[in-house]
């Protein structure tokens, strides 16, 4: 046990068959859940006043909108593979999607044992503790969702009785506030961040205007993907033009 804990060769442990089986099971559950939700939406679309054509358009829009965020998660996952191994990265980053949270959890856990991520002090024992910390961190998110969702559901029913219009305003306002908070947090970092936000916002505005003016509904669906791509190109150009964050 001491030999296992003290060994710095933890990548072999990170890629053991049992972890591959557990990772595959978790991602399999995600796929099955997605199929169940898609099937439920198709069956209950008419009761919500949606046609099957609108359902397909919604699925298509969601798929296109997920391309940009998914690519960023994939790139981060590739960068973390040498550090944590494939199965832990697939489960942690692929399921939770927050590389910053996972790395912070692992770093804090390693620090409590006097180790650092990626160097000789990161032994198998430290890796096990870090993986446990990452798992507990992700479990907290899921438990909160499990506990709070029924509470919010009851609250939404009460709001609907008081004023049905509120339930059409509150979700949109909450979504807008969430994205606004994420956006404004990035703006002070550097001129590159400002340029990326402005370029993507202008692109999205143009896409929505053209979609409305030229009656091109597909442009609304692809607008987010196009604006993400333009924002990335603008950020890349601004960075190599010397507008990146100042050196510490």
């Amino acid at each position: 046990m001491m030999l296992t804990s003290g060994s710095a060769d933890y990548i072999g442990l990170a890629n053991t068959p049992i972890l591959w089986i557990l990772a595959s099971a978790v991602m399999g559950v995600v796929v099955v859940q997605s199929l169940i939700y898609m099937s439920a939406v198709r069956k209950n679309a008419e009761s919500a006043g949606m046609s099957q054509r609108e359902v397909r358009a919604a699925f298509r829009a969601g798929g296109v909108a997920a391309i940009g965020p998914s690519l960023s998660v994939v790139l981060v996952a590739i960068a973390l593979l040498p550090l944590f191994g494939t199965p832990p990265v697939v489960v942690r980053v692929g399921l939770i999607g927050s590389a910053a949270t996972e790395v912070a959890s692992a770093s804090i856990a390693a620090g409590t044992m006097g180790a650092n991520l990626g160097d000789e002090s990161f032994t198998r024992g430290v890796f096990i503790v870090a993986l446990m910390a990452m798992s507990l961190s992700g479990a907290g998110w899921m438990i909160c969702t499990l506990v709070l969702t029924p509470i919010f559901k009851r609250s939404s029913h009460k709001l609907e009785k008081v004023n049905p219009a509120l339930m059409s305003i509150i979700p949109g306002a909450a979504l807008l506030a969430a994205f606004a908070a994420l956006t404004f947090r990035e703006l002070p970092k550097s001129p590159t961040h400002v340029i990326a936000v402005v370029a993507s916002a202008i692109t999205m505005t143009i896409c929505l205007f053209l979609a409305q003016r030229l009656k091109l509904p597909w442009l609304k669906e692809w607008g987010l993907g196009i604006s993400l791509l333009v924002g990335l190109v603008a950020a890349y150009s601004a960075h190599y033009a010397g507008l990146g964050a100042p050196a510490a």
Side-chain angles (χ1 to χ4, degrees):
M1 184 66 181
M2 289 297 294
L3 181 62
T4 301
S5 300
S7 174
D9 182 21
Y10 64 90
I11 292 298
L13 178 64
N15 290 286
T16 53
I18 183 63
L19 288 181
W20 273 108
I21 293 173
L22 294 174
S24 301
V26 170
M27 301 314 294
V29 170
V30 173
V31 172
V32 171
Q33 283 182 329
S34 300
L35 294 175
I36 292 174
Y37 292 150
M38 292 173 66
S39 176
V41 169
R42 292 183 183 278
K43 291 179 180 179
N44 297 280
E46 293 184 2
S47 61
M50 294 179 64
S51 65
Q52 292 300 318
R53 182 178 179 181
E54 290 174 326
V55 170
R56 288 192 295 271
F59 285 157
R60 189 164 57 248
V64 172
I67 292 175
S70 298
L71 286 177
S72 65
V73 171
V74 169
L75 292 175
V76 170
I78 292 174
L80 293 180
L81 287 178
L83 188 60
F84 297 120
T86 304
V89 170
V90 168
V91 174
R92 307 311 318 147
V93 179
L95 185 62
I96 302 299
S98 176
T101 299
E102 302 300 339
V103 173
S105 300
S107 180
I108 293 172
T112 61
M113 301 181 70
N116 298 309
L117 297 182
D119 63 13
E120 297 81 3
S121 63
F122 198 73
T123 62
R124 288 190 173 191
V126 177
F127 169 74
I128 293 172
V129 174
L131 184 59
M132 177 60 71
M134 293 161 67
S135 301
L136 290 175
S137 173
W141 293 25
M142 296 180 181
I143 292 173
C144 287
T145 302
L146 183 65
V147 173
L148 294 178
T149 298
I151 297 175
F152 288 148
K153 186 176 181 180
R154 290 195 294 269
S155 301
S156 66
H157 290 328
K158 292 181 180 178
L159 286 175
E160 285 178 349
K161 294 178 180 178
V162 176
N163 189 346
L166 285 176
M167 290 314 299
S168 62
I169 297 174
I170 291 177
L175 189 62
L176 182 61
F179 279 101
L182 293 172
T183 301
F184 289 126
R185 187 176 63 185
E186 300 298 318
L187 289 177
K189 293 183 177 179
S190 74
T192 297
H193 290 75
V194 177
I195 291 172
V197 170
V198 172
S200 57
I202 292 174
T203 303
M204 190 66 185
T205 302
I206 293 173
C207 288
L208 293 176
F209 174 78
L210 293 177
Q212 184 72 23
R213 195 67 178 269
L214 302 179
K215 300 187 184 304
L216 300 173
W218 64 268
L219 194 55
K220 289 183 179 180
E221 301 171 10
W222 287 86
L224 181 57
I226 295 172
S227 62
L228 283 170
L229 180 61
V230 172
L232 288 172
V233 172
Y236 179 86
S237 303
H239 177 75
Y240 282 95
L243 297 176

